[in-house]
Amino acid sequence: VISVSVSPGSVAYGTVGVPTVDNVPTGDTIINANNNGGIPETFNIKGANATGTTKTWTITTGAVGGTPDYNYNHKFNLCTDNALACTTTAGLNTMDTNYEALATDVHPTASDSRYFKLRLSTPTETGGDTSVHSTTVTVQAVAF
């Protein structure tokens, strides 16, 4: 069986100004990705566009921007100490809509969980749309 569980299942950034760079979720949430399958796995991660009431922000690995694309960045930061305290982290990785490696050779034991944080950089302008925007981050498990 190949399977990953992610906890918590959601994070909130609260009210975020425009533009902001590398905003942290409320409480600087540490996310736990756990192999709850039966074999060693690789965890992959990807982001998505952020939808609002009238404008959609386009996720990009490039620069954030305003009209007409409203580009934004969503990043992850792997905790290199592999602990819930997350006292040391790897560099920020900017996501797009394609999977990229989050962690490799993760064994099906609770002590081999991987921890990471998220960061959000908003577009340089909103085009007048100040509504709540929602997006997803997907973690995928594949056989190592």
Side-chain angles (χ1 to χ4, degrees):
V1 174
I2 299 170
S3 179
V4 60
S5 63
V6 178
S7 179
S10 66
V11 298
Y13 286 92
T15 302
V16 179
V18 173
T20 59
V21 176
D22 296 341
N23 190 63
V24 300
T26 304
D28 199 13
T29 306
I30 299 169
I31 301 165
N32 175 5
N34 182 54
N35 176 349
N36 60 351
I39 62 172
E41 298 173 351
T42 292
F43 295 157
N44 297 316
I45 190 169
K46 71 176 182 175
N49 294 337
T51 56
T53 302
T54 60
K55 303 281 186 227
T56 296
W57 299 349
T58 303
I59 193 167
T60 181
T61 57
V64 298
T67 305
D69 298 322
Y70 304 102
N71 292 330
Y72 86 103
N73 295 144
H74 212 172
K75 303 174 183 178
F76 69 92
N77 200 347
L78 187 64
C79 302
T80 56
D81 58 358
N82 199 34
L84 188 55
C86 197
T87 55
T88 59
T89 58
L92 285 171
N93 295 288
T94 306
M95 295 181 280
D96 61 17
T97 58
N98 299 305
Y99 281 112
E100 63 180 288
L102 172 65
T104 59
D105 197 17
V106 183
H107 292 263
T109 62
S111 63
D112 203 28
S113 291
R114 295 299 192 272
Y115 300 91
F116 64 98
K117 295 180 177 187
L118 296 173
R119 299 290 182 261
L120 178 81
S121 296
T122 60
T124 56
E125 62 175 306
T126 65
D129 180 7
T130 57
S131 67
V132 172
H133 279 71
S134 299
T135 189
T136 58
V137 171
T138 304
V139 176
Q140 171 194 59
V142 296
F144 175 69

